[in-house]
Amino acid sequence: MSQGEQRWQEVATGVHAWIYPPGGWGQSNAGLVLATDASDEALLFDAQWDEPSTTHMLQEAPLDRHRIGTLVNSHPDGDHTWGNAVVGAERIIATDACNAHFDHEDPQRLGLLVAAASRIGRAPLVRLPGPLRTVNGPHLLLRYLAAMGRGFDFGGVRLTWPTETFSGELDLTVGGRALTLIEVGPTHSHGDAILHLPADRVVFAADVLFVGVSPIMWVGPLSNWQAALATILALKPTVVVPGHGPVSGVAEVATFAEHLAWIAEVGDRQRTARRSPLDGAFDALTSQEYRSSPWADWISPERLVVTLTAMQREAENGPPIEGVQQRARLVTQMAVLADRLARASR
Ligand SMILES: [Zn+2]
C-alpha cells in the first residue's frame, strides 16, 4: 500500500493525529500526545499494521525533544498493535479484555496466507453456474486477502504484549497534560478504549468511529457501540479522531450514530424475513434507501455481512464469532458479497 499520503496533522497544541487515507483495511490512524511541561514525555495511541509502516510513522512524527515512553493499544486488532515492537515504549497500556484477546490473530499465519493469496489470487476467476457458484468462494477469498494485505510485512511482526492493563477508566498524565482512557467495549472488538484529552477537547476514538468507511463489528453488541458514541458526544469534544478516516468532529459522530441505527433496522428486517446475513446485507446495500443515504459512498460496504452475523448470534443467544476458521468464513463472505455488489452495479 502506498505510504506517500499518510501524514501527521496537529489537532490541538502538541496533539497530533496520524491519518492514513482513505481508511480501508490496515489504513489505521494513530495519535501522539506531547508534554506541555519541560519534560520529554510523549504518549502514542496505537501502532500500525506492521513494523515498517510503524517505523515510517515514527520517522515522520513531530517529536522534537520528546520520546515515547507510553504506548496505548485501543484494541487487539493487528492494524493497531502489530507495530508495537518498534515503538520501544517502556509502558504499553491496554484494557484487560484487549490483553486477553491480544493474540486472537496470528501475524505469521496471515503473512503466509497473503503471500499465497497474491500468487494464486491473480489467476483468472472461472465463474461456475448455479449452485456451484459457492465454489468461487475460496478464489474470491484469496483475491480479497491479497488486496487487503498488499504491501504489508506480516511475517516480520514481533507480537509485543501490553505491560499494564485496566478496566473501566484510567487517568494518566503526560508531561503535565491530564488524559483519560475510557473502556467502551466490547463492541467493534474486545476491550475497545478511547482516549480523552479534556483540556484540549480532543477524543481519539479508534475503531469506535469510522468516517467514510463502513464499520465492522466482530463482537458487539451493537447497543454497546451506540452507548460508546453517546459517551463521546457527552464529552463535548471539538475534535474526534476516528480509527479510520479523516479528522472529524461531533457531526461525523452523529452521522455514524444514524448509520448504526440504520444497521439495527437492517438486522431486524433480515431476521424477520429469515434471510441469511449475506443475503440480508446484499438486499440492504442494493436498496434505493441505501443509495440515497449519507453512507452510500463509504468504502468496504461488504463488511455489513460480519456485523449482521454478530447481531444474529446475539439475537439468538449464540456463541460469539471466534477462531481463525470462523473469521476466515466471514472474510470469504465479505469477498463474495463485494463481488456480488460489483456485478450488481455494472
Ligand atoms: Zn482498525
Side-chain angles (χ1 to χ4, degrees):
M1 224 151 266
S2 145
Q3 298 197 332
E5 19 174 17
Q6 305 105 289
R7 65 187 182 96
W8 285 103
Q9 215 175 312
E10 188 163 32
V11 295
T13 307
V15 181
H16 303 263
W18 177 249
I19 300 298
Y20 193 157
W25 292 113
Q27 298 169 328
S28 36
N29 300 334
L32 179 68
V33 180
L34 305 178
T36 52
D37 61 19
S39 75
D40 66 353
E41 289 180 19
L43 174 145
L44 182 71
F45 184 72
D46 277 341
Q48 297 279 285
W49 210 4
D50 66 359
E51 296 187 6
S53 47
T54 306
T55 300
H56 173 66
M57 173 176 83
L58 295 171
Q59 280 166 348
E60 299 289 311
L63 277 167
D64 302 322
R65 67 172 194 280
H66 304 91
R67 47 176 293 281
I68 298 164
T70 305
L71 167 64
V72 174
N73 285 142
S74 61
H75 65 292
D77 287 355
D79 60 325
H80 300 258
T81 60
W82 285 355
N84 278 5
V86 295
V87 179
E90 291 97 52
R91 306 171 76 188
I92 304 179
I93 304 175
T95 60
D96 295 326
C98 169
N99 190 54
H101 293 86
F102 202 73
D103 58 353
H104 74 129
E105 291 169 322
D106 177 342
Q108 274 72 34
R109 179 158 33 196
L110 182 61
L112 290 173
L113 259 175
V114 168
S118 351
R119 287 195 299 274
I120 305 162
R122 242 181 264 137
L125 183 68
V126 181
R127 288 198 183 280
L128 299 163
L132 289 175
R133 228 176 18 201
T134 47
V135 181
N136 289 333
H139 195 130
L140 291 171
L141 168 67
L142 291 176
R143 276 209 313 206
Y144 195 82
L145 274 177
M148 195 192 248
R150 192 172 295 133
F152 287 101
D153 171 25
F154 302 121
V157 170
R158 293 163 290 167
L159 208 61
T160 304
W161 289 69
T163 60
E164 287 172 45
T165 63
F166 74 100
S167 61
E169 293 194 9
L170 180 68
D171 292 324
L172 293 169
T173 312
V174 177
R177 203 189 296 264
L179 37 94
T180 307
L181 288 169
I182 306 171
E183 181 176 22
V184 293
T187 169
H188 158 77
S189 74
H190 293 281
D192 305 279
I194 62 172
L195 173 65
H196 180 218
L197 286 73
D200 303 291
R201 301 183 67 191
V202 173
V203 170
F204 286 94
D207 286 9
V208 170
L209 180 65
F210 289 79
V211 177
V213 191
S214 299
I216 187 162
M217 188 177 79
W218 289 103
V219 182
L222 195 73
S223 55
N224 265 10
W225 204 331
Q226 292 172 310
L229 297 181
T231 299
I232 294 173
L233 290 173
L235 298 171
K236 300 196 187 307
T238 50
V239 175
V240 185
V241 180
H244 298 260
V247 172
S248 298
V250 289
E252 286 83 358
V253 178
T255 303
F256 191 69
E258 283 172 40
H259 182 66
L260 294 191
W262 174 76
I263 289 180
E265 282 172 31
V266 168
D268 284 344
R269 283 204 291 263
Q270 168 245 323
R271 288 190 302 276
T272 308
R274 298 190 174 280
R275 299 278 280 162
S276 68
L278 182 62
D279 289 335
F282 182 79
D283 296 345
L285 296 170
T286 49
S287 66
Q288 189 49 48
E289 168 197 59
Y290 180 80
R291 265 177 261 176
S292 55
S293 73
W295 35 85
D297 59 353
W298 289 7
I299 59 175
S300 304
E302 67 278 6
R303 293 171 174 185
L304 182 58
V305 66
V306 176
T307 303
L308 292 182
T309 302
M311 287 163 64
Q312 175 150 324
R313 286 173 180 230
E314 185 204 337
E316 294 169 352
N317 292 315
I321 299 165
E322 242 158 8
V324 175
Q325 279 187 351
Q326 290 188 24
R327 281 198 169 226
R329 199 178 139 259
L330 283 167
V331 178
T332 305
Q333 293 205 355
M334 285 193 279
V336 168
L337 179 56
D339 180 65
R340 275 174 72 179
L341 292 171
R343 283 188 290 142
S345 71
R346 263 176 225 148

